[in-house]
Amino acid sequence: MNCPSQTSEAKAVRLCEALASSPFWVSRFSNPSIPRPNCKNDLLCTPAITKAEIVAEQFRNPPLGSFANRPVTRLHQSSGTVSTPLAWGDSTEDWGRILDIWNLLFRIAEIKDTDKLLFPFSFGPFLGFWSAFEAATRSGRFCLAAGGLSTQARIRLIERHQITVVLTTPSYAQHMAEAAGEMGIDLKSLPVRALILAGEPGANRPALRNRLETAWEARVFDHHGMTETGPVSMECARNPGVLHIADESYLAQVLEPNSDIEVDEGELVLTPMDRLAMPLIRYRTGDRVKVYRQPCPCGRPLLSLAGGILGRLDDMLIIRGNNIHPEAIENWLWSHPEIKEFRIEVKESSGLSKLKLVIDTIEKSGKDTDTILDRLHSGFQERFLFQAEVEISTQPLERFEMKARRLKKL
């Protein structure tokens, strides 16, 4: 279902009309300090809303809150890995527009009509690759859903059906590479040319990205979206590390946390223009991003992000007075080829936080493990200027098909 092209101003007016029939927003605009918006500029000036406010509203009025202004035919839910799951619904028309956004994202990544796509995971209530799968099938591309299968069986599907594009998470792409090695299959011999990775940070972490592109001999494309906003951005085929936002479908701003000051590096704030059954405006995503200001070789005049999602505003760790983001630790760990998987544990002790790195490595015992432990322990202190306990797990650590949960607070 393709919608006719509209200007952002026309879409803004349409969104304002949808807000006027949403009980939640009608109530919110009854506050004299929050005037009802009527145009694009009004939308950009409306006080922002947070995930905590949305979750609270859905708790008061389950299951969806009072956002909907019409019946919804599609319902999707976030994973709830760090907080209460959040559900969002779409009308049939909204869903068609979400698939239209994916058509643009596929073009940004230069996915061809002749590409064969594999979706190697079980389809749950999450939005992400459901929308990608339906957009790809609607466009006539070959699509293979590989839910309910083992990792080994999925690798055989790639081989048997000559798959060229795999859509999954960074963690599972790494696990598939590991499993292929154990099967004696060289991924480089397979026809996969592109990995579209989402659901967690990693695709734009240099160490993991290099590891994946080397193992698969395929181009990694970072993608991000959210249940409550829809598919948002895709890495440019002509400009590695730079993600283009589908800004015909979003009003996007980058603001200082807890303020309305626009900055080049800060929190991504999104207003989806094409989801009208459950409208949302100026949503503070909690994602840290950096605006890319250079002209792009692809020529698209789209708002762009350098390095994708840099992390979460709320993921800062304070370890013995040292401020550090988990993704910095993860990138350092992935730079060590002997590490297959890891877990980061943070434990409060006598008012101070202690950091422990639990490592799954090729070596499980003997002199080699002592050498690895010594190298990681001294290397961590040299890199981050404080100490962390390092332990090699005697059992394989959990592998993740969907969002990885490597940070554990004890």
Side-chain angles (χ1 to χ4, degrees), residues 124-140:
F126 56 91
L127 173 78
F129 289 132
W130 259 119
S131 53
F133 181 85
E134 292 199 17
T137 55
R138 188 185 68 169
S139 68

Side-chain angles (χ1 to χ4, degrees), residues 222-259:
D222 195 5
H223 157 68
H224 106 278
M226 307 179 77
T227 296
E228 57 272 43
T229 64
V232 178
S233 69
M234 178 68 75
E235 185 170 343
C236 182
R238 309 292 179 89
N239 201 355
V242 174
L243 276 68
H244 292 318
I245 291 178
D247 56 7
E248 286 189 2
S249 296
Y250 296 93
L251 295 180
Q253 298 170 288
V254 178
L255 305 179
E256 282 188 352
N258 303 314
S259 91

